[in-house]
Amino acid sequence: MFEISTVASMELKDISGLVKKYVGESDIGNGIVLVYTPHTTAGITINENADPSVKSDMIKFLSEMVPDKSYFRHMEGNSSSHILSSLISPSQSFILDNGRLILGTWQGIFFCEFDGPRSRKVYVKILSEDQ
Amino acid sequence: MFEISTVASMELKDISGLVKKYVGESDIGNGIVLVYTPHTTAGITINENADPSVKSDMIKFLSEMVPDKSYFRHMEGNSSSHILSSLISPSQSFILDNGRLILGTWQGIFFCEFDGPRSRKVYVKILSEDQ
Amino acid sequence: MFEISTVASMELKDISGLVKKYVGESDIGNGIVLVYTPHTTAGITINENADPSVKSDMIKFLSEMVPDKSYFRHMEGNSSSHILSSLISPSQSFILDNGRLILGTWQGIFFCEFDGPRSRKVYVKILSEDQ
């Protein structure tokens, strides 16, 4: 598990390096890796981390797609953050191959903050196929 | 595998207890757990199960976000249910740690009914890292 | 890993047969299967593959739900494709039971092209529970 801090109400934070470091230190060569966040107003996604405009376009669009609604009754007033969490999902799975995550040229792993800024947790579980 | 019954056309049904019972009976300590539903108008999600308004806000919003469209051609007339199934996903993965699922304080596991009421199936698969 | 070609800008291509063939050739009986695509403008989903109208309804709806926006700044001009990739997810997980994927009667596995036509890669990883 590692902890991160977010700085905005909505934010896509690149955690590729943190996940790769965690996987590298495990000494496991081949298997499946699950990256999981235990929060209900956040998520994990995989997308382009080359041009930062992809992140900002996505944040602007998602906040428009799931706006605050006058009929929302959840007391904390952050139902749109909960909905985005379910649409993006709180976890993503990866293939570990010879000690490296299989990621496309443009793929990075992002923690998605939908109700920040906050301190958040990310769990990484590696299941090895080498016994 | 266990079966559940839904009572509404759209419903988020908390299955955390059923999943935890299934996992507890397995006697597996550590690994990855996959919760999978074999239906094309349903899904599995993880979200807050403390305030029930989160569920009702989500259902109202999702039904507005993916409404019935006059151009839909699928004969059964439930294309919006199929689309919601793909947006939410028919499965979620979890980390099993010392016999317990890692879930955040507010996280519950929900079966998402998008075309009920119906009788539905949920499969749970546990892959152990302890050999 | 296998490669596929898509023929349209947006397309749902049934890859159930390719995944089942890959799994069958592995001689693994029980476990979890991860189907993963390493692209940031594509995804993997599970939905009905009986009536082809489900596919066409979904494509038309998703392209309307995530349209091109004048405020998008990503240089390549395909931010909506990236957003759809995060909403659908680049992977799906399956249960392998006695050599067969658990799939519902109507469930098929689809590669989702959101920025085609292109040549695309799909990885399949099987983690066995039989040691």
Side-chain angles (χ1 to χ4, degrees):
Chain A
M1 195 268 289
F2 58 83
E3 290 188 273
I4 57 169
S5 293
T6 57
V7 296
S9 59
M10 255 180 98
E11 181 181 348
L12 265 65
K13 191 180 176 90
D14 191 337
I15 57 170
S16 310
L18 289 164
V19 173
K20 286 176 186 171
K21 182 164 173 281
Y22 192 99
V23 169
E25 289 168 352
S26 76
D27 271 333
I28 298 177
N30 297 282
I32 284 177
V33 177
L34 178 64
V35 178
Y36 183 94
T37 188
H39 307 289
T40 56
T41 54
I44 305 289
T45 198
I46 303 166
N47 220 306
E48 177 176 332
N49 63 357
D51 177 5
S53 298
V54 173
K55 285 198 308 184
S56 52
D57 288 354
M58 192 175 304
I59 287 169
K60 184 154 187 185
F61 182 82
L62 291 178
S63 64
E64 274 187 14
M65 188 180 85
V66 189
D68 200 29
K69 290 283 187 177
S70 57
Y71 59 73
F72 283 161
R73 295 191 178 180
H74 179 40
M75 295 172 294
E76 295 175 52
N78 60 351
S79 284
S80 54
S81 314
H82 286 287
I83 294 166
L84 283 168
S85 177
S86 277
L87 288 172
I88 292 295
S89 170
S91 78
Q92 294 294 331
S93 296
F94 301 87
I95 298 169
L96 181 62
D97 184 64
N98 275 317
R100 288 177 174 241
L101 290 184
I102 291 182
L103 283 173
T105 314
W106 308 106
Q107 282 185 323
I109 309 168
F110 291 95
F111 178 86
C112 304
E113 174 61 81
F114 296 128
D115 193 30
R118 295 202 197 197
S119 174
R120 300 292 207 173
K121 290 179 183 170
V122 177
Y123 290 88
V124 182
K125 183 72 174 182
I126 312 168
L127 226 55
S128 172
E129 68 170 6
D130 309 314
Q131 303 298 334
Chain B
M1 196 268 289
F2 57 84
E3 290 188 274
I4 58 170
S5 292
T6 58
V7 297
S9 58
M10 256 180 96
E11 181 181 347
L12 265 65
K13 190 181 178 92
D14 191 337
I15 57 170
S16 310
L18 289 165
V19 173
K20 286 175 185 170
K21 182 165 173 279
Y22 193 98
V23 170
E25 289 169 353
S26 76
D27 272 334
I28 298 177
N30 297 282
I32 283 178
V33 177
L34 178 64
V35 178
Y36 184 94
T37 188
H39 307 289
T40 55
T41 55
I44 305 290
T45 197
I46 303 166
N47 220 306
E48 177 175 332
N49 63 357
D51 176 4
S53 297
V54 172
K55 285 198 307 184
S56 51
D57 288 354
M58 191 175 306
I59 287 168
K60 185 155 188 184
F61 182 82
L62 291 178
S63 64
E64 274 187 14
M65 188 180 86
V66 189
D68 200 29
K69 290 283 186 178
S70 57
Y71 59 73
F72 284 161
R73 295 193 178 179
H74 180 41
M75 294 172 295
E76 293 176 53
N78 60 352
S79 284
S80 54
S81 314
H82 286 286
I83 293 167
L84 283 168
S85 177
S86 278
L87 287 172
I88 292 296
S89 170
S91 79
Q92 294 293 332
S93 295
F94 301 87
I95 298 170
L96 181 62
D97 183 63
N98 275 317
R100 286 175 177 244
L101 289 185
I102 290 182
L103 282 173
T105 313
W106 309 106
Q107 281 184 326
I109 309 168
F110 291 94
F111 178 86
C112 304
E113 174 61 81
F114 297 127
D115 193 30
R118 296 203 195 195
S119 175
R120 300 292 207 172
K121 291 180 183 171
V122 177
Y123 290 89
V124 182
K125 183 72 175 181
I126 312 168
L127 226 55
S128 172
E129 68 171 8
D130 310 315
Q131 302 300 336
Chain C
M1 195 268 288
F2 56 84
E3 290 187 275
I4 57 170
S5 293
T6 57
V7 295
S9 59
M10 257 181 97
E11 181 181 348
L12 266 65
K13 191 180 176 92
D14 191 338
I15 56 169
S16 310
L18 289 165
V19 173
K20 286 176 186 170
K21 182 164 172 280
Y22 192 98
V23 170
E25 289 169 354
S26 76
D27 271 334
I28 298 177
N30 297 281
I32 284 177
V33 176
L34 178 64
V35 178
Y36 184 93
T37 188
H39 307 288
T40 56
T41 54
I44 305 289
T45 197
I46 303 166
N47 220 307
E48 177 175 333
N49 62 358
D51 177 4
S53 297
V54 173
K55 287 197 308 183
S56 51
D57 288 354
M58 191 176 306
I59 287 169
K60 184 154 188 185
F61 183 82
L62 290 179
S63 63
E64 274 187 14
M65 187 180 87
V66 189
D68 200 29
K69 290 283 187 178
S70 57
Y71 59 73
F72 283 161
R73 296 192 178 180
H74 180 40
M75 295 171 295
E76 293 174 54
N78 60 351
S79 284
S80 54
S81 314
H82 286 286
I83 293 166
L84 283 168
S85 176
S86 277
L87 288 171
I88 292 296
S89 171
S91 78
Q92 295 293 333
S93 296
F94 301 87
I95 298 170
L96 181 61
D97 184 62
N98 276 317
R100 286 177 176 243
L101 290 184
I102 290 182
L103 282 173
T105 313
W106 309 105
Q107 282 185 324
I109 310 168
F110 291 94
F111 178 87
C112 305
E113 174 62 79
F114 297 128
D115 193 29
R118 295 202 197 197
S119 174
R120 300 291 207 173
K121 289 179 184 173
V122 176
Y123 291 88
V124 182
K125 182 73 174 181
I126 312 168
L127 226 55
S128 172
E129 68 171 7
D130 311 314
Q131 303 298 337

